[in-house]
Amino acid sequence: MARDLFHDIVRSALEKDGWTITDDPLSIRCGGVDVQIDLGAERLIAAEKSGEKIAVEIKSFASASKISEFHTALGQFINYRIALRTEDPERILYLAVPSVTYNDFFSLPFTQTVVQETKILLLIYNIETEEIVQWLN
């Protein structure tokens, strides 16, 4: 499995944010199909509460055609979300996108409409600081 250009940056950002990487990649078999989501992570909220579990699909949007990458990311996100609901329903799926891409491409009305209608959860990360900028649920 080829890793995304910013895979290690997102992993570092999650660890800085207090997440423990549990799977790299997170492999799931669902309905006869094998899928691999870039990262699985968990974090304890507090000692008396149960932990949070997430899965993160990382996209760099570094190619010339952002809409083509968006199509691919959207398809993967929907497939992975369905697989997680069946095989690991406690885990919440996020699509990780660079802050530069979020501020230009994801601010377009079309992209915002697609994100809202498909209920994609976003993790926005800064490439230079290797930090999470924002979680959008």
Side-chain angles (χ1 to χ4, degrees), residues 15-44:
E15 290 171 338
K16 284 180 183 178
D17 200 48
W19 291 89
T20 300
I21 305 300
T22 57
D23 302 272
D24 186 3
L26 174 62
S27 299
I28 297 174
R29 181 157 181 83
C30 179
V33 176
D34 295 320
V35 297
Q36 289 191 329
I37 303 170
D38 289 323
L39 293 172
E42 64 185 21
R43 171 170 65 184
L44 291 177

Side-chain angles (χ1 to χ4, degrees), residues 47-77:
E48 64 273 9
K49 292 183 178 179
S50 61
E52 290 178 85
K53 291 174 138 186
I54 62 171
V56 179
E57 180 59 20
I58 303 164
K59 292 296 171 205
S60 63
F61 290 91
S63 76
S65 177
K66 292 198 177 14
I67 192 68
S68 179
E69 282 196 63
F70 185 61
H71 290 312
T72 300
L74 182 62
Q76 286 178 312
F77 188 91

Side-chain angles (χ1 to χ4, degrees), residues 68-88:
S68 179
E69 282 196 63
F70 185 61
H71 290 312
T72 300
L74 182 62
Q76 286 178 312
F77 188 91
I78 291 169
N79 289 340
Y80 296 169
R81 184 168 55 196
I82 291 168
L84 283 173
R85 281 185 187 154
T86 303
E87 301 300 324
D88 196 353

Side-chain angles (χ1 to χ4, degrees), residues 4 6-7 9-10 13 58-61 96-100 123-127 130-134:
D4 186 85
F6 299 135
H7 182 97
I9 289 172
V10 174
I58 303 164
K59 292 296 171 205
S60 63
F61 290 91
V97 298
S99 56
V100 172
L123 181 168
I124 316 302
Y125 61 94
N126 183 301
I127 298 166
E130 299 187 2
E131 293 177 342
I132 295 170
V133 175
Q134 191 172 8

